[in-house]
Amino acid sequence: MEARNDLALLTDLYELTMAAAYHRRGMFAPATFSLFIREYPPNRGFLVSAGLEDVLAYLESFGFSPSDLAYLEGLGLFSRDFLGYLEGVRFTGDVVALGEGRVFFRDEPILEVTAPIIEAQLVETFVLNAVNLQTAIATKAARCVHAARGRSLVDFSLRRTHGPDAGLRVARASYLAGFWGTSNVLAGKRYGIPVAGTMAHSFVTSFEDETEAFRAFAETFPQNTVLLVDTYDTVAGARKAAAVGREMKARGERLRGVRLDSGDMAALSRQVRQVLREEGLGDATIFASGGFDEFKIARALAGGAEIDAFGVGTKMGVSADAPYNDIAYKLVQYDGRPVLKLSAGKVTLAGEKQIFREVREGRLAGDTLALRGETLPGEPLLRPVLAGGTRTGPPEPLGVARERLLAELSRLPEAHKALEGPEPFPVSLSPALRDSQEQVVHHVREKELGES
């Protein structure tokens, strides 16, 4: 039967070689893998969950096509019995997960997969890839939103993201994190995100006169006229834009705004605002782009910038200061037996887990990482999202995850949202999880290292 997607081979070879060895040994018992981030990237005091929707769509449609199997047979690595098994394999397991748009912290499971071990192993690479990228971007974008203090942000990153697929996921993750919209038209269509755009410097330079370029744009888009004013000189360009704005006003139209893309944004925005006020156009928006991320936004506003909205591009779209997460997908239980690693610096927490979050006086107060079966004070964060290979409910609208995140970030104390040197959020282990961990460590050391 033809597989329902073409992504089963989007995996590391060792997932398949391990699967083949499991198959040969008859190892089909349930295994639980936990996906988590070991350490915070630089200056991060929180993380934002994103990418779950792609994971669920992938798991629901997982399978190998005849051409996939022919390719694997041609590698000369795998037995006919194993290839025959792969022909019929589908993901039949369960997933518990944080919803998209939740704040979470180091060592906390983003999701846990429980399935026959071959199925759970084969999906590892895709799950890591999907969640790593979107979590990194959503976290970076949420920091930009925090720095902007209520001003609108637009994703301008597409031309410099790491490929077309990444560009789509960046637009989605940044919108989830609170951006107003994106310049990415396909992302607008696919995810229902508002799209925005003005003009490039090439548009201005294609006309012999800057004012004529502005007039041409205003005549074409009288309801959405935002003029790029820094092609030659920002303040002189603002005066020309204001002249066109007065012409529009006389026609019963309105100059929506001007865009700055270079120079000292704080000083120039104040000068441009003064020009607009003098010309009776004080309600026009000042939109700024050009190398912005949370740090540059914060510096501009601290310097007195009169900027109403920002286009945020490259540095957000590649999460430039923290381009990856120390993310891991580790086996924590097999056939009912809790398991762990003792590797230096990479010790894992054994067993299936749950996270309980306490809120006091409207503020996030602390998380407790517990065993799956425990009941503790606070909200349990890991919810069933896939059962027997099928979603437990319809796909969640992106806007719902966005509103959840904005509400949750408003409850996260400022000390944990600081752009530099944030305070660690309190996360503790339940006594039962701590005791279980000690018992498993003792058992492993005794069995594998001969320690008593």
Side-chain angles (χ1 to χ4, degrees), residues 27-216:
M27 295 174 65
F28 303 105
T32 298
F33 285 78
S34 186
L35 181 74
F36 61 96
I37 291 174
R38 292 191 183 100
E39 299 290 344
Y40 293 115
N43 288 315
R44 277 23 175 200
F46 68 91
L47 300 157
V48 174
S49 62
L52 177 62
E53 177 57 33
D54 283 344
V55 169
L56 297 182
Y58 166 80
L59 294 177
E60 277 201 307
S61 60
F62 181 82
F64 292 88
S65 70
S67 62
D68 292 339
L69 297 169
Y71 171 76
L72 292 177
E73 184 177 21
L75 295 178
L77 293 172
F78 303 109
S79 70
R80 289 189 177 276
D81 283 349
F82 178 61
L83 293 172
Y85 168 81
L86 291 184
E87 185 177 9
V89 75
R90 296 291 182 267
F91 184 81
T92 62
D94 305 333
V95 178
V96 297
L98 296 171
E100 291 194 290
R102 296 305 300 253
V103 171
F104 72 99
F105 306 96
R106 55 169 287 184
D107 290 330
E108 294 184 336
I110 308 163
L111 58 81
E112 289 192 337
V113 171
T114 301
I117 192 168
I118 294 177
E119 296 173 26
Q121 191 78 68
L122 288 173
V123 302
E124 173 182 8
T125 302
F126 184 94
V127 171
L128 280 163
N129 183 283
V131 174
N132 177 61
L133 171 66
Q134 293 189 59
T135 292
I137 299 302
T139 303
K140 177 76 170 175
R143 287 162 55 84
C144 293
V145 171
H146 180 60
R149 305 178 198 170
R151 294 162 179 83
S152 295
L153 303 180
V154 178
D155 160 40
F156 270 18
S157 67
L158 176 58
R159 60 191 57 196
R160 289 177 180 162
T161 55
H162 294 157
D165 186 71
L168 289 167
R169 269 51 182 193
V170 166
R172 182 183 188 277
S174 60
Y175 181 72
L176 184 155
F179 274 43
W180 177 85
T182 181
S183 66
N184 185 335
V185 181
L186 180 56
K189 175 188 175 185
R190 183 171 294 184
Y191 304 122
I193 301 172
V195 292
T198 57
M199 60 177 65
H201 294 102
S202 58
F203 181 82
V204 176
T205 57
S206 70
F207 289 79
E208 292 190 6
D209 179 87
E210 188 174 30
T211 301
E212 283 306 307
F214 292 167
R215 285 190 181 117

Side-chain angles (χ1 to χ4, degrees), residues 227 237-247 255 258 275-276 279 281:
L227 304 175
R239 292 194 181 100
K240 295 173 186 177
V244 172
R246 290 197 310 273
E247 295 170 2
L255 175 66
V258 297
V275 169
L276 294 172
E279 299 294 338
L281 301 167

Side-chain angles (χ1 to χ4, degrees), residues 29 47 88 126 131 154 218 265 267 293 343 351 353 445:
L47 300 157
F126 184 94
V131 174
V154 178
M265 293 293 184
D293 65 358
S343 309
K353 296 172 205 68
R445 288 189 179 280

Side-chain angles (χ1 to χ4, degrees), residues 14 123 133 160 182 207 241 247 268 283 292 322 326 331 338 393 396:
Y14 80 169
V123 302
L133 171 66
R160 289 177 180 162
T182 181
F207 289 79
E247 295 170 2
L268 287 170
D283 62 343
F292 279 102
D326 185 10
L331 182 67
E396 184 176 69

